[in-house]
Amino acid sequence: MPGDSEVGFDGYYVSRAHDDVEVPQDLETGLSGSVPAPEDGNSEAHDRRDDLSPTFTNDQSESAKATSVTGGFGIGLDELVQVVGGVHRLEALNQHNGVGGLSSLLKSDLKKGIDRRDDEILKRRQAFGSNTYPCKKGNTFWSFLWKASQFPPSLFIIIAAVMNYLLRMKGKAIHDGLYVEACVILATALGIVVKAITEFKQSRQFKKFSEEKRNVPLDVIRGGRRLSVSTYDIVVGDIVPLKNGCQVPADGVLCVANSLKIDEQEITGSHVTVQKDLINDPFLLSGSKVLEGIGTMLVTSVGINTEWGLKMENQHETDEEKPFQVYVKWLATSASWLVVSFASVACIVQLCRYFYGQTKKSDGTPMFILGNTTIDEATEFVITSLSFGIATIIVAVPVGLSIAVLLNLANTTRKMMADNAMVQRHSACERMGSVTHVLCHKTGILTSNQMSVVDVWAGGIRMQDRNDDSYDMDNVSQLPSILKELIVEGIAHNTNGSVVFETGVTEPKLYGSSTEQAILSWGNKLGMKFDEARSASLPYPIPFNPNKKYGGVALQLGTRAHVHWKGSAKVILNSCKWYMDGANNRIAIDEQKGEIEGIIRDMCMGGLRCAALAYQSYEQGSLPTTEEERSKLPQDLVLLAIIGIKDSVRPGTRNAIQMCNSGGVKVRMVTEDDILTAQAIANDCGILEDSSNTNIMTGAQFRDLSDHDREQIAPKISVLAQASPTDSLLFVKTLQEKGYVVAATGMGIHDTKTLRAADVSLAMGIGGTAAAKENSDIIILDDNFVTVLKVIQWCRSLYTNIQRYVLFRLTVSVSTVAICVVEVVFYDAFPLHAVKLLLLNLIIDIVGALALAYRPTARHLMEKPPISIRDPLITKAMWSKLVIQVIYVVQTLAFLGSDSILTLKHGHTGDAEKVKNTFKFNSLVFCLVFNEFEIRNGDQIFREILRDNMFLITMMSTIIVQIIAIELLGIFNPAVRLGLIKWRTSILQGFISQFATRFPFEVFHYYRN
């Protein structure tokens, strides 16, 4: 977790870009000499290119030397690949005189890197390739179309249409209904095309997002300058500094290594952490991750010529299960079987009535009389009855549910991307809407990660960034000269950052973590000349220990030596025996220790991160020689300074946390900062309402609790301070055991276990490492907690949109089946012609899905608790609304069909029956339209609906299509024109249907049981 766990001291840069000093004796072998092969020959973890890397013999060595020069370089691409990926790579490296000889062949300087000129970069790309991976060609649109056409309900509908056409082929003419089958196939094909287009666009969008995700900025040394470039801009010959948590961007060879431990699991499949050094294993593979330590590498292979490139080339696309897919499949299957059952019952009843002579003609005589009715007449009735049953099945089977889910998901992910949230796993959208707890890191998410030194104690003097203080931060002349020199010496050498002065620019460019940049900026105020200070001595770094919270650097200064330490203020202070006063005297710290501890407490209570600088002097030749001795913090240090670093809370964070609280989502801050600092920031953010002992706790206190006590207290904890990644993981698992749905943020490589364990994992796009992004469900591109709130809102909106469409689609299916069954069984009639049913299906499945899919997110979604992930999608209240709506529609249409209500001028003639059935169909459509309106605006005021252009367009389109179908397309549609009174009556019946489901049920902001 960069910056948060290490107080900004996450590793130290070794390979200097601005000095001309000798290389340490113990590193000379790795820089310019041959590297001896290990005695045990243990290189199985890297021998995955056996087929590409033949054994190096003497003949082949001579052949390698005679290889033609590529692009003016002294070594070709094939040889470079064998150096890192070959079976005998140590032997191959020795053939080229170690990493020093290899850098000479590549025309690269191990200290200054390659030339920064664009033509030099282009030349290397042409000779050795670019650091990009040829992504496998994605599925074409036609493959998605083929997949969508294999959806079982769609196949069933097409087969039914073909069967219907074959049944009615004899004597068929256009006015007899040839267009019925055309309408079936058109509606089904349109649904298939919409689904294929949506999935195709999602596939292309995901591919684009994946490329952006791999585009990670990192530091390189070019022309003696430390620059930040994209991973894609790395070329062979680049010098790349490595630190804890970063991902190796290309294959290469180490030129500097210090306690470097690498995770190569994704490349080699081995779960064993690999210790890298300059003698036995200096090789690094692209895609591996730095777990501990620091180092510097020479890039030897990029792009498809790396191990990671081979893996990317063989990567296969996988079909991820979409949100709600399981439930929607079950719902669609169950509804389909019920529809088929009821439609079959209606057809059987109608056919039994017909053959038993119960079906009457308009003059009252039976339609079927055994011996009198011809076979053609009987066959025509059977075909008509079966066609009606098939059409009922087609319109009632909820095929559009999957289309609605896809449209909602596509729209939601697109809008989330516009709000700086990139969805990697679509299934996370379903869980995010049900999140009850968000475990959020402080630095860079709740705070702006723009740090500055605002409070310093040094030499007994307190300097603060306040206008009313005579000792302000800019007045550094008050510090004694020797103390100032020691502080500058420690800042310049004991850092992972750098200071670069560009030509024509007055302000220097600072590199490194935000904490490092803040300290370097203060060092510049002290008069630090970074390049000059670093070139005056030979540093040997002591990597930062994230568990012990300190790191250092050993300096050989002619006849003397200094070891500078930097880390947590409390940890460093406890190891100090002396401090430097304002007169450059070394004074025993015992008498001042209480006062200094009070200053640290005061800084922490002000929300500042406290670091300390200290040093120890050694005589020549008395420096610790072993790594264990060097990494151990001495207990007689001289305290130089206590530094207070400010990291302000991001604008809007407090309001966002308050909205989360009002929506039943509790935000828990996890940080490795001091408990007082964490408490102050939590108060500023609005996370802490009070500062009781039960809602703020350290990681050590939490992990020392028993399992039972931990489960009881975990829901009450608002701030977990001084917490390690292991404590965060334990916090997540404890909350999950209590039944909560937990989202967790992560930045560093050590956060990956927590991200994998959380129900929803959120990685940071700016401060997050490649490892964190790979293991996350959603990437927050701007590292802002306000974006996390937007993600929750969009995912809740996705849930409600799908919930609304399912309710609407089930209402249509049940209403259609109920009307047809009631009319056939009780009234012995076909109330809705097949074409009318198909037109209804076209309107509902496509237009209805569009109307309810593009509903924008609303603030009021955060005014109710989250829906439990275990709750059913269709709630009891929704089922009740559905039943009431269906009863209203059936009774209304039966009432309108009564002869006493509907006055027919021509009695029971054919035209009169057409008028009746057209009137029923028109009333049904408007009932469903207004029902859709009621479902859509149940939790919104009318003004908000008027701003939803997609909903208004789809509603108007539905009404216009209905008017055209009734008034202008009578030749294709067995309907007649209706008078103005009947149009008004149909609209009135639809308008009244809204109130049928509003009482006695209240309008829910967020549908619940």
Side-chain angles (χ1 to χ4, degrees), residues 449-740:
N449 206 27
Q450 300 294 324
M451 302 188 189
S452 59
V453 176
V454 297
D455 200 346
V456 174
W457 179 93
I461 301 172
R462 181 87 177 266
M463 296 177 290
Q464 295 175 287
D465 192 9
R466 293 203 303 237
N467 295 330
D468 59 347
D469 199 318
S470 58
Y471 294 117
D472 61 85
M473 293 300 302
D474 294 328
N475 186 12
V476 296
S477 59
Q478 56 200 305
L479 292 177
S481 58
I482 296 179
L483 176 60
K484 188 188 300 183
E485 289 176 4
L486 287 171
I487 293 175
V488 167
E489 183 180 89
I491 291 176
H493 288 91
N494 194 11
T495 181
N496 181 51
S498 62
V499 180
V500 176
F501 284 88
E502 298 289 349
T503 305
V505 180
T506 57
E507 291 295 327
K509 180 69 174 178
L510 304 177
Y511 293 93
S513 68
S514 297
T515 308
E516 294 287 358
Q517 291 183 35
I519 296 177
L520 288 171
S521 178
W522 182 61
N524 288 336
K525 293 180 181 179
L526 295 176
M528 176 183 68
K529 299 185 183 304
F530 186 79
D531 295 348
E532 184 178 318
R534 289 178 68 89
S535 63
S537 59
L538 178 65
Y540 188 90
I542 303 169
F544 179 83
N545 189 319
N547 296 321
K548 298 180 180 179
K549 302 183 185 304
Y550 63 79
V553 62
L555 305 176
Q556 187 67 49
L557 304 166
T559 59
R560 57 192 175 88
H562 288 165
V563 178
H564 284 271
W565 297 92
K566 178 173 63 175
S568 170
K570 291 183 178 180
V571 173
I572 297 294
L573 179 62
N574 289 333
S575 298
C576 290
K577 189 176 181 180
W578 317 89
Y579 78 95
M580 296 285 291
D581 69 357
N584 291 324
N585 298 316
R586 196 166 76 165
I587 309 297
I589 203 171
D590 293 339
E591 297 181 0
Q592 295 292 325
K593 192 169 185 179
E595 179 183 347
I596 297 173
E597 289 176 343
I599 292 173
I600 294 175
R601 188 181 306 109
D602 181 56
M603 289 182 180
C604 291
M605 292 179 66
L608 304 184
R609 309 177 67 185
C610 291
L613 303 179
Y615 92 108
Q616 188 177 35
S617 181
Y618 292 85
E619 297 296 332
Q620 185 178 16
S622 62
L623 276 172
T625 55
T626 66
E627 184 176 331
E628 182 178 355
E629 291 176 343
R630 284 192 293 263
S631 61
K632 186 176 180 180
L633 190 65
Q635 297 301 307
D636 56 348
L637 299 179
V638 179
L639 181 65
L640 299 178
I642 303 293
I643 302 174
I645 304 171
K646 183 179 181 180
D647 186 12
S648 302
V649 174
R650 285 183 182 271
T653 297
R654 187 179 185 88
N655 291 335
I657 291 176
Q658 289 176 351
M659 287 189 65
C660 285
N661 291 334
S662 65
V665 180
K666 300 301 180 183
V667 181
R668 315 296 187 187
M669 188 174 80
V670 180
T671 178
E672 293 197 2
D673 279 350
D674 182 84
I675 190 169
L676 294 177
T677 302
Q679 180 177 333
I681 297 297
N683 284 326
D684 290 343
C685 293
I687 293 177
L688 282 180
E689 298 177 358
D690 58 78
S691 301
S692 63
N693 293 329
T694 59
N695 57 18
I696 183 168
M697 184 176 288
T698 65
Q701 292 172 336
F702 183 71
R703 87 174 76 99
D704 290 341
L705 294 173
S706 64
D707 292 343
H708 178 268
D709 292 342
R710 196 182 299 119
E711 287 186 10
Q712 296 301 315
I713 202 171
K716 302 176 184 178
I717 297 176
S718 297
V719 177
L720 192 65
Q722 298 174 350
S724 66
T726 304
D727 298 327
S728 300
L729 176 61
L730 184 61
F731 197 9
V732 168
K733 291 184 175 180
T734 304
L735 289 173
Q736 288 175 328
E737 289 172 359
K738 293 287 291 182
Y740 297 111

Side-chain angles (χ1 to χ4, degrees), residues 107-350:
K107 298 183 178 181
S108 177
D109 189 286
L110 292 177
K111 293 182 292 182
K112 297 182 179 181
I114 63 175
D115 199 301
R116 289 193 295 169
R117 291 180 293 114
D118 292 340
D119 59 339
E120 177 68 19
I121 305 299
L122 180 61
K123 180 181 177 182
R124 292 177 181 271
R125 284 204 186 101
Q126 292 173 344
F128 303 108
S130 63
N131 199 32
T132 56
Y133 310 103
C135 297
K136 291 182 69 66
K137 188 176 181 180
N139 294 331
T140 63
F141 170 75
W142 303 110
S143 63
F144 284 103
L145 189 64
W146 172 251
K147 179 182 176 182
S149 65
Q150 293 177 317
F151 188 52
S154 300
L155 291 175
F156 172 76
I157 290 175
I158 293 176
I159 292 172
V162 173
M163 290 177 61
N164 195 44
Y165 172 73
L166 294 175
L167 286 172
R168 303 181 60 183
M169 185 181 294
K170 181 180 179 181
K172 182 179 281 289
I174 189 169
H175 60 275
D176 280 327
L178 178 60
Y179 49 87
V180 173
E181 288 72 27
C183 290
V184 173
I185 296 175
L186 175 63
T188 307
L190 185 58
I192 290 174
V193 170
V194 169
K195 185 176 181 180
I197 291 175
T198 304
E199 290 189 331
F200 178 72
K201 286 185 176 180
Q202 280 188 325
S203 176
R204 299 286 78 78
Q205 186 182 47
F206 185 75
K207 181 180 178 181
K208 178 182 177 182
F209 291 168
S210 297
E211 292 175 356
E212 292 179 359
K213 178 183 64 177
R214 291 193 293 266
N215 186 14
V216 179
L218 76 163
D219 292 346
V220 298
I221 306 299
R222 289 179 181 174
R225 299 293 189 184
R226 185 163 180 159
L227 307 173
S228 180
V229 301
S230 167
T231 304
Y232 296 145
D233 293 332
I234 297 293
V235 294
V236 170
D238 265 328
I239 303 299
V240 181
L242 303 171
K243 63 179 181 180
N244 175 20
C246 73
Q247 179 168 309
V248 179
D251 287 358
V253 182
L254 283 171
C255 51
V256 174
N258 198 314
S259 304
L260 198 62
K261 293 183 179 180
I262 303 294
D263 176 15
E264 297 180 342
Q265 180 179 347
E266 291 191 28
I267 309 301
T268 64
S270 173
H271 295 270
V272 179
T273 300
V274 183
Q275 179 79 45
K276 296 291 182 177
D277 57 62
L278 301 176
I279 306 300
N280 297 316
D281 191 359
F283 305 102
L284 295 174
L285 301 178
S286 175
S288 56
K289 299 173 179 62
V290 180
L291 296 179
E292 294 182 16
I294 55 176
T296 306
M297 67 175 286
L298 169 68
V299 175
T300 58
S301 300
V302 294
I304 60 173
N305 300 312
T306 64
E307 285 281 357
W308 185 256
L310 291 177
K311 181 179 179 181
M312 295 295 295
E313 196 172 23
N314 296 324
Q315 188 175 7
H316 298 285
E317 291 187 359
T318 57
D319 293 331
E320 181 198 358
E321 190 172 76
K322 300 296 188 297
F324 312 98
Q325 195 172 41
V326 174
Y327 185 83
V328 167
K329 280 183 177 179
W330 171 85
L331 189 63
T333 303
S334 301
S336 298
W337 280 111
L338 289 175
V339 167
V340 170
S341 300
F342 282 110
S344 300
V345 168
C347 286
I348 292 172
V349 170
Q350 182 66 22

Side-chain angles (χ1 to χ4, degrees), residues 763-774:
M764 300 300 110
I766 299 175
T769 60
K773 295 176 184 178
E774 289 292 336

Side-chain angles (χ1 to χ4, degrees), residues 749-805:
I749 192 171
H750 299 291
D751 296 327
T752 54
K753 291 183 179 180
T754 303
L755 292 173
R756 286 195 292 263
D759 296 292
V760 181
S761 51
L762 308 169
M764 300 300 110
I766 299 175
T769 60
K773 295 176 184 178
E774 289 292 336
N775 288 276
S776 67
D777 298 318
I778 301 172
I779 299 177
I780 307 300
L781 299 177
D782 59 353
D783 292 12
N784 196 333
F785 183 79
V786 176
T787 304
V788 177
L789 170 65
K790 293 178 181 179
V791 169
I792 297 175
Q793 287 179 310
W794 277 117
C795 291
R796 287 192 176 189
S797 179
L798 172 67
Y799 184 94
T800 55
N801 286 350
I802 293 177
Q803 196 178 40
R804 291 166 191 276
Y805 180 78

